[in-house]
């Protein structure tokens, strides 16, 4: 399966890794072990984009949703200043599959159920319900669950190996660290049971109280953004019934 909605940027130059290390949520040194899942945040800790960093010799590939790629490239160029890096769009494509990664491909670091990602034309799996896998593992996606209002800890980036709390400073780090030290998150994404179907983004009601919104749905389950103090076993999202079990 080719993932045609992805764009691959190439960050090259002698300072490429150091440059990215000061910007993204994860530890770039993890590239020595494979893919690194990370995000770029605003100074107030809100989501701009999530992506995979891919090792390519001294360079780093950045695998990002194509809708977000122009803004990511612009922001990287803005932060570049005098860093010895070059940022260029490539014509590389992404393939995905399940099972053992073929040579040159990498295991998806977010969840083992999501298989592998390839960047050199490796044959992917054509008949995989990727939405169902994302829902089952509660892995939110850009353009669907993830938006400019998202805080990455509410999106589960700590669970998805998308943030490192020991790496030091990056843009948005201070807000993210403060959220981590709360006793518990009051809002966030969770997998719910769904009877019926509702448009992506439909408000979830617990009685007459707003309890969140319903997003991706597949095989009787969905990803919901919930207010945990209101979420429960019997909720409504438009024509669909929604059940949450903590």
């Amino acid at each position: 399966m080719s993932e045609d909605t992805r764009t691959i940027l190439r960050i090259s130059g002698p300072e490429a890794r150091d440059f990215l290390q000061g910007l993204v949520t994860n530890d770039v040194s993890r590239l020595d072990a494979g893919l690194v899942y990370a995000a770029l945040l605003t100074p107030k800790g809100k989501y701009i984009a999530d992506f995979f960093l891919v090792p390519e010799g001294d360079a780093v590939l950045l695998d990002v949703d194509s809708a977000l790629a122009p803004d990511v490239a612009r922001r990287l160029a803005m932060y570049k200043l005098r860093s010895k890096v070059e940022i260029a769009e490539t014509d590389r494509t992404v393939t995905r599959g399940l099972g053992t990664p073929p040579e040159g491909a990498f295991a998806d670091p977010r969840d083992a159920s999501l298989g592998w990602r390839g960047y050199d034309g490796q044959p992917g799996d054509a008949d995989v319900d990727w939405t169902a896998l994302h829902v089952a593992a509660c892995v939110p996606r850009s353009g669907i669950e993830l938006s400019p209002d998202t805080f990455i800890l509410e999106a589960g980036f700590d669970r998805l190996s998308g943030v490192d709390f020991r790496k030091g400073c990056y843009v948005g780090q201070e807000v993210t660290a403060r959220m981590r030290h709360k006793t518990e998150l009051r809002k966030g994404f969770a997998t719910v049971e769904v009877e019926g179907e509702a448009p992506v983004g439909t408000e979830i009601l617990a009685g007459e109280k707003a309890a969140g919104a319903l997003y991706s749905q597949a095989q009787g389950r969905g990803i919901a953004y919930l207010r945990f103090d209101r979420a429960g076993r019997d909720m409504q999202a438009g024509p669909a019934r929604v059940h949450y079990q903590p």
Side-chain angles (χ1 to χ4, degrees), residues 31 51 131 194 225 239:
L31 282 166
F51 39 76
T131 296
V194 182
Y225 180 73

Side-chain angles (χ1 to χ4, degrees), residues 100-139:
T100 303
E103 185 175 354
F106 301 90
D108 191 316
R110 295 171 298 179
D111 190 274
S113 67
L114 297 181
W116 53 263
R117 303 176 75 85
Y119 300 91
D120 296 309
Q122 293 93 341
D125 291 335
D127 299 317
V128 175
D129 187 342
W130 294 105
T131 296
L133 292 177
H134 277 261
V135 168
C138 196
V139 179

Side-chain angles (χ1 to χ4, degrees), residues 193-217:
E193 303 297 321
V194 182
E195 296 179 35
E197 191 174 341
V200 167
T202 298
E203 183 180 46
I204 296 174
L205 296 176
E208 296 182 354
K209 293 184 177 180
L214 181 62
Y215 293 95
S216 296
Q217 299 149 66

Side-chain angles (χ1 to χ4, degrees), residues 11 15-23 76 79-80 83 85:
I11 319 300
E15 297 178 359
R17 291 196 179 192
D18 289 340
F19 169 69
L20 291 168
Q21 182 76 339
L23 296 177
L76 292 178
Y79 284 119
K80 176 184 170 183
S83 298
V85 298

Side-chain angles (χ1 to χ4, degrees), residues 144-163:
I144 304 175
E145 289 86 15
L146 301 175
S147 77
D149 290 325
T150 299
F151 290 104
I152 61 167
L153 296 191
E154 292 183 347
F157 271 57
D158 47 345
R159 173 177 53 84
L160 302 173
S161 301
V163 59

